[in-house]
Amino acid sequence: MAKEGADMTEETQYMIDRNAGKEGVSVESPSNAKEMRAVVLAGFGGLNKLRVTKKAMPEPQNGEVKIRVKACGLNFLDLMVRQGNIDNPPKTPLVPGFECCGIVESVGENTQGFEIGDRVMAFMNYNAWAEVVCTPVDFVYKMPDEMMFAEAAAFSLNFVAAYMMLFEVARLREGMSVLVHSAGGAVGQAVAQLCSTVPNITVFGIASCFKHASIKDSVTHLFDRNTDYIQEIKKISPDGVDIVLDCLCGENTGKSLSLLKPLGTYILYGASNMVTGETRSFFSFAKSWWQVEKVNPIKLYEENKVIAGFSLLNLLFKQGGYNLVKSVMNKLLSLYEQKKIRPLVDSLWALEEVKEAMQRIHDRGNIGKLILDVEKSPTPLMANDSTETSEAGEEEEEPEGDNDSKERMPFIH
Ligand SMILES: NC(=O)c1ccc[n+]([C@@H]2O[C@H](COP(=O)([O-])OP(=O)(O)OC[C@H]3O[C@@H](n4cnc5c(N)ncnc54)[C@H](OP(=O)(O)O)[C@@H]3O)[C@@H](O)[C@H]2O)c1
């Protein structure tokens, strides 16, 4: 059994269980409906660019399935998309979101392997945050019977990315050591769980201090993101580590490279450091790139170090890697069925609460994954005032230590 990170909070668990009660029901098929609700990003920028509007009902094309969506994953990447903090941003308005799950409502012509009523999860090249989506079968996977929709929406992106970095790129093996940033986040917790499926792996995790109590059992050593983690790790492991997973970029790139053992692998897979304020900052962008050390292949050769990059969405949607991803997904679903991995859900939000949910990830408040629950009604207390007391009328506990999450949403932890 994998060591799990933080247990889900009672409230989140309650909401998931409540969802589970709905899961046996057949597809409600307002098949004559011409419209559906979706989150729309009107233009790149702040939270005010997001709204929920009606859009035309999509219909499946050749080789596509139409999915009545139950839940969608909200990722840090969605925050970067909102800000326009990505390469080659698409035109706005657009419907954000890269993953969702739900029930197959109809199938297009020449669509094989899926039937109406199948419970599925899917990667989307945008357009996931909607009541109904259509997508080619190459990006769709059947959910295990016991998997709940909130879990399915928290599964695909994090676990596939974590698995491919650890096992396809870095070749994780018994006895190795791994450094992971944002260890309390969705990818971070997937990394921690997957590492626990291999014997004798040492995981060095970095996270905001207030998350430590919740996630300490999921990693071997945990450090506050504000400490000099390089020195702390070198005290424990003077030779450094075998694998560094860097989703921060900027100054962390040079630091991480200095920590690599000979034959160690550094993987860059994100650039969270570029997010500072509510909108894109050219200063943060420039600083981040400026701080990335110039990579000198001769130095790599002399030091026996491997540098890699990983982008799951590019692999899936630009580089035709969907068959490889499908085989990885099969392995992951097998691990899930053996109860060796289980996504950690932070909280569930209505589509109309997307701004609050995004603010939570921006404020570093999440432990695990944020989910947009398509059938959830907005909770006015949460939507309007995060400083009030909880629904149960209890005072919110102050998180311990240095907590950059500031005001945390009342119902969640
Ligand atoms: N390449 C890929 O295929 C791929 C796939 C999925 C995700 N990613 C990347 O992986 C990283 C984690 O993604 P996720 O969706 O799992 O998010 P997440 O880790 O669940 O949530 C974000 C966490 O990142 C940390 N963080 C670091 N810098 C931050 C900043 N400037 N602003 C706010 N929070 C910051 C915070 O944790 P602490 O305060 O505890 O540090 C925060 O709670 C992101 O960089 C994302 O782009 C890449």
Side-chain angles (χ1 to χ4, degrees):
M1 178 66 195
K3 281 183 284 180
E4 289 193 356
D7 290 333
M8 281 177 228
T9 62
E10 275 180 31
E11 180 75 21
T12 304
Q13 187 61 58
Y14 164 76
M15 295 168 83
I16 293 171
D17 291 346
R18 201 197 49 175
N19 265 6
K22 296 175 192 162
E23 288 182 0
V25 300
S26 58
V27 195
E28 314 144 22
S29 186
S31 45
N32 50 355
K34 298 272 184 291
E35 288 184 323
M36 53 136 196
R37 280 155 65 236
V39 176
V40 171
L41 180 68
F44 298 115
L47 291 165
N48 62 354
K49 302 289 183 189
L50 290 163
R51 61 198 55 140
V52 176
T53 57
K54 296 266 183 185
K55 298 229 2 137
M57 178 66 70
E59 292 305 332
Q61 306 299 306
N62 218 0
E64 289 188 344
V65 292
K66 177 179 178 181
I67 303 169
R68 173 76 40 185
V69 176
K70 296 283 185 180
C72 316
L74 192 156
N75 298 293
F76 194 83
L77 191 57
D78 299 308
L79 173 59
M80 299 191 74
V81 167
R82 192 204 76 215
Q83 296 191 342
N85 228 333
I86 49 169
D87 275 344
N88 302 315
K91 286 203 170 75
T92 54
L94 60 84
V95 175
F98 297 107
E99 59 184 338
C100 61
C101 61
I103 298 176
V104 174
E105 191 165 280
S106 64
V107 296
E109 280 179 33
N110 304 313
T111 301
Q112 286 171 359
F114 293 92
E115 289 175 4
I116 294 171
D118 282 347
R119 299 163 79 247
V120 293
M121 46 196 181
F123 285 114
M124 301 282 301
N125 194 11
Y126 296 95
N127 293 312
W129 292 355
E131 283 181 317
V132 179
V133 302
C134 290
T135 188
V137 286
D138 293 330
F139 308 114
V140 184
Y141 318 89
K142 285 189 185 154
M143 286 168 54
D145 289 343
E146 63 273 30
M147 188 182 265
M148 291 173 283
F149 286 120
E151 288 184 311
F155 193 81
S156 313
L157 199 72
N158 314 315
F159 275 100
V160 172
Y163 187 99
M164 294 193 80
M165 288 191 288
L166 289 173
F167 296 104
E168 303 282 339
V169 183
R171 305 276 168 201
L172 181 71
R173 294 180 300 283
E174 181 169 356
M176 283 184 153
S177 52
V178 179
L179 166 62
V180 59
H181 292 279
S182 309
V187 174
Q189 282 294 295
V191 166
Q193 289 188 22
L194 287 169
C195 284
S196 75
T197 66
V198 177
N200 196 21
I201 300 295
T202 303
V203 181
F204 296 96
I206 319 282
S208 283
C209 204
F210 83 95
K211 302 177 185 177
H212 288 202
S214 301
I215 64 168
K216 62 180 184 334
D217 292 339
S218 65
V219 296
T220 324
H221 304 283
L222 192 52
F223 303 104
D224 179 4
R225 69 182 182 84
N226 292 317
T227 59
D228 183 352
Y229 63 87
I230 300 288
Q231 290 313 315
E232 295 300 319
I233 292 173
K234 283 196 166 161
K235 276 185 212 161
I236 298 167
S237 177
D239 293 342
V241 299
D242 294 297
I243 299 171
V244 176
L245 303 178
D246 181 10
C247 59
L248 303 180
C249 197
E251 61 174 347
N252 290 86
T253 301
K255 285 184 184 177
S256 303
L257 280 171
S258 74
L259 254 188
L260 269 192
K261 282 182 183 174
L263 300 182
T265 305
Y266 162 91
I267 306 177
L268 181 71
Y269 70 104
S272 300
N273 276 342
M274 285 187 197
V275 173
T276 44
E278 190 185 329
T279 53
R280 181 180 180 183
S281 154
F282 285 99
F283 175 73
S284 306
F285 176 84
K287 184 174 164 210
S288 222
W289 283 110
W290 178 255
Q291 287 172 328
V292 174
E293 269 193 352
K294 301 279 176 295
V295 175
N296 179 346
I298 297 173
K299 210 167 161 222
L300 292 180
Y301 147 76
E302 285 168 352
E303 294 180 353
N304 273 312
K305 289 182 178 175
V306 180
I307 295 192
F310 182 77
S311 162
L312 177 57
L313 295 176
N314 283 355
L315 185 69
L316 270 172
F317 298 117
K318 293 188 181 162
Q319 296 159 352
Y322 46 84
N323 282 331
L324 176 57
V325 170
K326 204 151 237 179
S327 71
V328 167
M329 185 62 99
N330 288 338
K331 290 176 194 160
L332 285 166
L333 291 175
S334 163
L335 288 172
Y336 176 85
E337 280 165 341
Q338 295 167 49
K339 302 196 187 321
K340 290 189 172 168
I341 57 173
R342 185 185 183 195
L344 178 66
V345 176
D346 173 77
S347 48
L348 285 80
W349 305 79
L351 288 184
E352 289 76 7
E353 293 166 335
V354 64
K355 293 179 195 179
E356 288 84 352
M358 239 187 214
Q359 188 61 44
R360 179 169 174 79
I361 201 166
H362 181 87
D363 287 346
R364 300 173 179 268
N366 64 302
I367 300 177
K369 182 93 165 194
L370 292 105
I371 302 296
L372 296 179
D373 174 349
V374 174
E375 293 174 354
K376 181 181 179 293
S377 310
T379 311
L381 175 67
M382 293 159 52
N384 298 330
D385 186 356
S386 63
T387 62
E388 292 283 339
T389 53
S390 69
E391 283 173 304
E394 290 164 8
E395 289 293 332
E396 268 295 274
E397 260 181 45
E398 272 299 307
E400 288 170 17
D402 166 29
N403 175 9
D404 287 344
S405 80
K406 303 187 183 82
E407 285 154 8
R408 307 177 68 208
M409 301 306 289
F411 78 99
I412 293 156
H413 285 288

